[in-house]
Amino acid sequence: MSETLEQAIGQAQHRNWLSRMANLQVFWVFIAAVLACLALTFMTDAFATERNLFNVARNFAFVAIIAIGMTTVIASGGIDLSVGSVVVLSAMTISVLMEAGNPFWLSALLAIGVALLVGAINGVLIAYAGMPAFVATLGMLSAARSAAMVLSNNKMIWEFGPDHDILLWVGGGSTFGLPHPLYVLIALTIVMGFVYRWSRWGQYVFAIGSNEEAATLTGIAVKRIKVTIYMFSAFTAGMAGILMAGWLGSVTTNLGTAMELTVIAAAVIGGANLNGGEGTALGAVVGALLIEVIRNSLILLGISTFWQGMFIGTFIIVAVSFDRIRYART
Amino acid sequence: MSRLKLSGISRSFGAIRALDGVSLELAPGEVMGLMGDNGAGKSTLVKIIAGNYRPTSGEIRVDDKLVEFNKPIDAQREGIEIVYQDLALCNHLTAASNVFLGREPTRRFGPVSIIDYDKMRTTSAQLFARLKSETRPRDVVRRMSGGQRQAVAIARTLLSHPKIVLLDEPTAAISVRQVAEVLDLIRNLRDQGISVILISHRMPDVFAVADTVAVLRRGELVTSKGASESSPEEVTGLITGAIEYA
Ligand SMILES: Nc1ncnc2c1ncn2[C@@H]1O[C@H](COP(=O)(O)OP(=O)(O)O)[C@@H](O)[C@H]1O
Ligand SMILES: [Mg+2]
């Protein structure tokens, strides 16, 4: 009996092929990105240069950082359309504050604070007022960008006061040859990979996305957790906003426009299930990587970047049909 | 001694009178089959016992002690656990995670506390063994049969060593072989001294395991007696109203 109990604990009837299936999407997306990189290395001289790889790494990091926040929202059965607007609001907050002579750290903290506030409003509207996530965050997409315009009087800001160089170093600099946003991304990926798997909060994110009513019946504080999920999503967008301000060296009110679509695409391509209950931090990163590699390859191959949307759209549809196929077998 | 005693339980939803003066008693280790047509008030009654709804009027006693439930946790503290009609499981999580959902054991490492998956797997494997179910802790619920899902939902209730387990339609949407499995699960509960209220539409299931039968018709209790003193024919008559009371 004790032996069979041990066996029961150790085994799972469907574990092997199920875990293979679950990992399939991330795996294949990664393979696709690697193949695209290899092809580009042979087809163009420009791809495998240090400068280009540096640019790719930095560019994809911004989308990937927010895609981790988005994956959390999607895994909980929601959606956050406001991230692009939170990017500009956060970037504008830090710019305006620094231009007025405030130190970098204080301004960055306040920018993150503003982002968290936006996330909290989203979360309260969704969890407590019972609004569909799509509607609440669509409203916020409009409102947050408008707030950024009001804040800056719709002017471009390119002088960041006494800590100007610090901001540019944080967002645009590099250490040991790697761009700083990439370090932020790596740290976030490791932390969230751990949180998803090992924390109660992570477990509840997936439980809510899987069966919200069940989560409520078992006594999980579903509403409170939902608020924190949207706050986390806004936090990632706020952080990306600060980094992008430093990278670009100037901030205009159209920063981050339509970014939510790229971010959602990255999350979905990376295996986040729009019906909730599934998603990984690594998947978000790999999804974002694939999108950036496609964008980069179009430029290097001299193909019009107007084609980019076509490729991303195709990948989204392929990614979602992966889900369908998986469910059909269930 | 009665494990559970309901006296004059009524509950209205607006103009709908879902329950009207229901009184019944449940002994330790007794299995009661609760039957009635759709909308008769069965789910409402067990949800009142489980603390999901408050009765409009009436009293609940557990082990002869007057209790009042405002939330499910109040009922759980008195040893009452419920398996909901739609099971309330998370399809994407494993059996072990579902058994412990909302009550995950954790281990502390300095400032961080992490979920103790080892303990969850060990305990749920023991619970499945106790229920003589072949469900495995690491299996994902989405890929399970109806009988295995029931085992997960019932194992959940055993976590807190309950006195009373309420099962709302556990055999509604599963195959014949799985029904037998679920009936075995119920017998296992009874053998451990746990009282069970089993809601079911399926007459043979009820008579296979129940010690007593109770019938609700439009919110009123029309019978409550030993299963051996009743019959499927009588119960059918009571459900439809062909027989007034028994
Ligand atoms: N939350 C509720 N709000 C309003 N009416 C309800 C609610 N729950 C149950 N009812 C009503 O109470 C009656 C009994 O329902 P229920 O207990 O679910 O019956 P059963 O489980 O026997 O099919 C029905 O008329 C139903 O519509
Ligand atoms: Mg019912």
Side-chain angles (χ1 to χ4, degrees), chain B residues 38-39 41-44 85 168-169 199 201:
Chain B
N38 274 336
K42 307 178 297 292
S43 292
T44 305
Q85 187 157 4
D168 197 351
E169 308 258 11
I199 295 181
H201 269 108

Side-chain angles (χ1 to χ4, degrees), chain A residues 13 197-198 200 204 211 327, chain B residues 89 92 104 115 117 139:
Chain A
Q13 279 171 346
R197 170 94 177 104
W198 292 101
R200 281 183 155 187
Y204 296 164
N211 188 344
Y327 275 98
Chain B
L89 297 178
H92 298 88
E104 295 82 1
I115 296 180
Y117 283 104
D139 284 353

Side-chain angles (χ1 to χ4, degrees), chain A residues 90-105:
Chain A
S90 156
M92 211 42 107
T93 304
I94 191 170
S95 307
V96 168
L97 286 170
M98 288 183 69
E99 191 187 32
N102 292 293
F104 169 76
W105 288 111

Side-chain angles (χ1 to χ4, degrees), chain B residues 166-181:
Chain B
L166 312 167
L167 300 167
D168 197 351
E169 308 258 11
T171 55
I174 56 180
S175 72
V176 176
R177 202 181 72 82
Q178 292 165 4
V179 167
E181 226 173 274

